Amino acid sequence: MASVSTQPAPSQRAPSRPARAAILAAAMLTIMAPAIISPSLPAMREAFADTPGADLLVRFALTVTSLAIAVSAPVSGLVADRLGRRPLLVSSLVLYAISGTAGFFANDLYLLLATRALLGIAVGGIMTAVSATITDWFAGPRRASFLGLQQAFAGLGGVVFLPLAGLLATATWRAPFWIYLASAGVAALAIGALRREPPSRRTAAPGLPRPRRSPMTGRILGVYALALVVTLAFYMAPTQLPFLLSSHGSGPTLTGAVIAGSTLSSAIGALAFPALRRRLRSATITAVSVALLGAGWLLVGTADAVGQIAAGLLVGGLGVGFAVPNLNLRLSELAHPDQRGRVLSGLVTGIFLGQFLSPLVIQPLVRSAGITAAFTWTGIAMAAAAALAALAPWVARRARAAAG
């Protein structure tokens, strides 16, 4: 399918530095937002031990946020396309601050889950607005570069917030909820900086008819499915590792720091993505990304020390750092400019549905074989999938040659 993206019109000035800063600051609040309370999970389980099913429900405190993001993201896409990126972004940032900090005051586990669901709606709106704004602002190599920056800042958000959450959790498991208040400052920045920006031009190439509805082609749906599977595997880090590290004697501070390692390497991978994209095809980058994630999880599954677990997370995070901007860029190429908000919101749904499903899919394996075996088998599966993806073009060429 031919790309429908075009270079911005010469009359449209480049976004200002404050505007770009607001978008990247908002990106920091997205991917790891549910995981900010990850270092608190063991203590939270103890605090709500009297609640039936607390062991699984406490894990849902992470993943119900992801489910809410997945469910609400398509609505956010419609809002972004019809009402604009800025109104969606600002309102979502405000809701993020309110619903995130509300968890500090929740004394009932089900009420806590409700606040986490509202947080998910906010994150879905932020992530959709940020991605759509970037693809409106830039085209070609500049778009690839700024999408890499978006993912890098999302990873840096984990690097900053997860260790801070671990440190705060040593005082009380409730303290990390105050981290969500950072969104209020980003909202203030966005209100001022984006007001001065010209309206985004989402004009298609000359002669290209405006579609009546979003073209959900097989390629687009395939990108969504890939995002779901990769995130399902990657989200084993915040949902399973706190308990694995606890068995090694690690406290909340070290747990937050170790998990943040995966977001650090993810940021590094995202920064390297533009250079990688200039040299490799999108499909090749996908295979490399999945292979790195598989290798990292194999290291975690076979580790007998915290240092080896951290090394595995660094390798796996690097793969995700390549994957997310690659999938974002591919969708921006496939989507009609007037419907990028809706198409990109589907990627948000795929990513966070994978986060939600992760403990549900992995927990039976954890119960039957243990956490380390779950990482090992997941790593093997991802490595095998990467090998098949790498071999598929070669097999297809051989088949065409034989048929000819």
Side-chain angles (χ1 to χ4, degrees):
M1 180 183 293
S3 170
V4 297
S5 60
T6 60
Q7 295 288 343
S11 60
Q12 184 179 7
R13 63 180 174 86
S16 65
R17 287 184 178 180
R20 284 178 283 180
I23 289 298
L24 292 176
M28 290 182 69
L29 305 174
T30 54
I31 294 293
M32 296 305 290
I36 284 175
I37 64 168
S38 181
S40 297
L41 289 185
M44 193 185 301
R45 181 176 58 184
E46 295 300 321
F48 292 108
D50 293 337
T51 303
D55 186 57
L56 186 58
L57 288 174
V58 163
R59 285 180 168 86
F60 278 161
L62 259 68
T63 58
V64 72
T65 304
S66 303
L67 177 63
I69 297 168
V71 171
S72 66
V75 178
S76 296
L78 288 171
V79 173
D81 285 337
R82 294 183 180 180
L83 300 182
R85 296 12 175 167
R86 180 177 175 270
L88 173 64
L89 178 61
V90 172
S91 60
S92 298
L93 286 167
V94 172
L95 178 60
Y96 185 106
I98 295 172
S99 58
T101 55
F104 178 87
F105 303 98
N107 291 316
D108 178 85
L109 183 52
Y110 292 99
L111 178 60
L112 175 62
L113 293 175
T115 67
R116 302 294 292 173
L118 288 175
L119 176 67
I121 295 173
V123 175
I126 294 169
M127 196 166 179
T128 299
V130 167
S131 295
T133 299
I134 291 171
T135 56
D136 290 344
W137 279 350
F138 303 108
R142 293 188 68 196
R143 178 183 291 170
S145 179
F146 213 87
L147 286 173
L149 278 177
Q150 176 194 3
Q151 178 60 19
F153 271 76
L156 287 173
V159 174
V160 173
F161 295 135
L162 283 174
L164 177 59
L167 182 62
L168 291 174
T170 60
T172 168
W173 66 265
R174 294 181 182 275
F177 287 95
W178 286 113
I179 294 174
Y180 294 108
L181 195 60
S183 178
V186 180
L189 175 61
I191 290 171
L194 298 180
R195 181 187 292 122
R196 296 188 291 271
E197 291 306 304
S200 298
R201 300 192 179 191
R202 301 186 291 275
T203 305
L208 183 68
R210 177 173 179 168
R212 294 183 179 180
R213 60 182 180 179
S214 181
M216 288 298 143
T217 66
R219 291 182 180 181
I220 291 176
L221 294 176
V223 171
Y224 295 163
L226 180 60
L228 187 152
V229 172
V230 168
T231 311
L232 188 152
F234 181 66
Y235 217 63
M236 291 173 66
T239 56
Q240 304 297 335
L241 272 179
F243 303 98
L244 176 61
L245 292 170
S246 179
S247 68
H248 284 272
S250 301
T253 301
L254 182 57
T255 296
V258 170
I259 297 175
S262 64
T263 64
L264 175 61
S265 60
S266 174
I268 293 171
L271 290 173
F273 167 73
L276 193 68
R277 185 65 181 89
R278 288 193 292 268
R279 292 168 173 79
L280 299 177
R281 297 172 59 249
S282 177
T284 304
I285 296 175
T286 297
V288 170
S289 302
V290 175
L292 286 170
L293 181 57
W297 270 208
L298 275 171
L299 282 172
V300 172
T302 57
D304 54 12
V306 173
Q308 292 170 298
I309 293 174
L313 288 177
L314 290 173
V315 175
L318 187 65
V320 173
F322 292 150
V324 175
N326 185 47
L327 298 180
N328 246 323
L329 181 60
R330 184 60 178 146
L331 284 177
S332 72
E333 294 169 347
L334 294 172
H336 190 282
D338 287 328
Q339 298 183 337
R340 284 197 190 112
R342 275 161 280 188
V343 172
L344 290 170
S345 71
L347 180 63
V348 178
T349 294
I351 289 172
F352 288 98
L353 186 59
Q355 289 190 4
F356 172 75
L357 291 175
S358 182
L360 295 176
V361 172
I362 300 299
Q363 193 63 21
L365 182 57
V366 170
R367 287 179 178 174
S368 62
I371 295 178
T372 56
F375 274 97
T376 300
W377 284 109
T378 303
I380 291 172
M382 300 300 286
L388 289 175
L391 289 173
W394 179 80
V395 172
R397 288 193 298 268
R398 292 294 298 271
R400 286 194 298 267

